[in-house]
Amino acid sequence: MTASTHAPASVASVWRQPAQVWAVAFACVVAFMGIGLVDPILPAIAASLDATPVETELLFTSYLLVTGLAMLVTSWVSSRIGTKATLMTGLGLIVLFSLLSALSGSVDAIIGFRAGWGLGNALFISTALATIVG
């Protein structure tokens, strides 16, 4: 067989993944979109909550800081409680803290809830990416 005969089969096999891989990949895309969607609407959030420029930046920074720090230990957590439990815990934290952020009326509370949201994101994203690669 020629090399061109093998190429389509190897390319096609990349797209033939279990449904769980596609679900995790889609969830990762949505989680990463959540990071990028907040930045453009920060001025509107700040105006509606009468937030100072420092408070406005903390809405974004608290999320990213906790996400970055928590990603350092998510592998350890996943090895202790399991991949599925880590993914579900992370997803649960994302849902909980995003809901609390939406229901909150003060800037300080939203800053704290965004940090919790970042923890959930770290648990979910880093475990999901490791699962996809594995």
Side-chain angles (χ1 to χ4, degrees):
M1 294 190 165
T2 64
S4 63
T5 306
H6 291 290
S10 63
V11 171
S13 67
V14 171
W15 297 106
R16 293 186 182 158
Q17 300 293 326
Q20 296 90 339
V21 171
W22 290 111
V24 170
F26 175 73
C28 285
V29 169
V30 171
F32 279 120
M33 283 178 20
I35 296 168
L37 291 175
V38 171
D39 191 37
I41 62 171
L42 281 177
I45 293 171
S48 68
L49 295 173
D50 294 325
T52 67
V54 172
E55 290 171 328
T56 304
E57 284 302 316
L58 281 173
L59 289 169
F60 198 68
T61 306
S62 65
Y63 176 85
L64 289 177
L65 179 66
V66 171
T67 298
L69 292 174
M71 281 189 173
L72 297 173
V73 297
T74 53
S75 175
W76 180 84
V77 171
S78 180
S79 70
R80 298 301 180 270
I81 67 172
T83 302
K84 186 175 182 179
T86 305
L87 287 169
M88 292 293 103
T89 301
L91 189 58
L93 288 173
I94 290 168
V95 170
L96 173 67
F97 284 109
S98 62
L99 177 65
L100 291 172
S101 293
L103 297 175
S104 177
S106 76
V107 177
D108 293 334
I110 295 173
I111 290 168
F113 293 145
R114 288 277 297 158
W117 191 343
L119 174 61
N121 193 54
L123 289 170
F124 184 83
I125 290 292
S126 61
T127 304
L129 292 175
T131 301
I132 289 172
V133 170

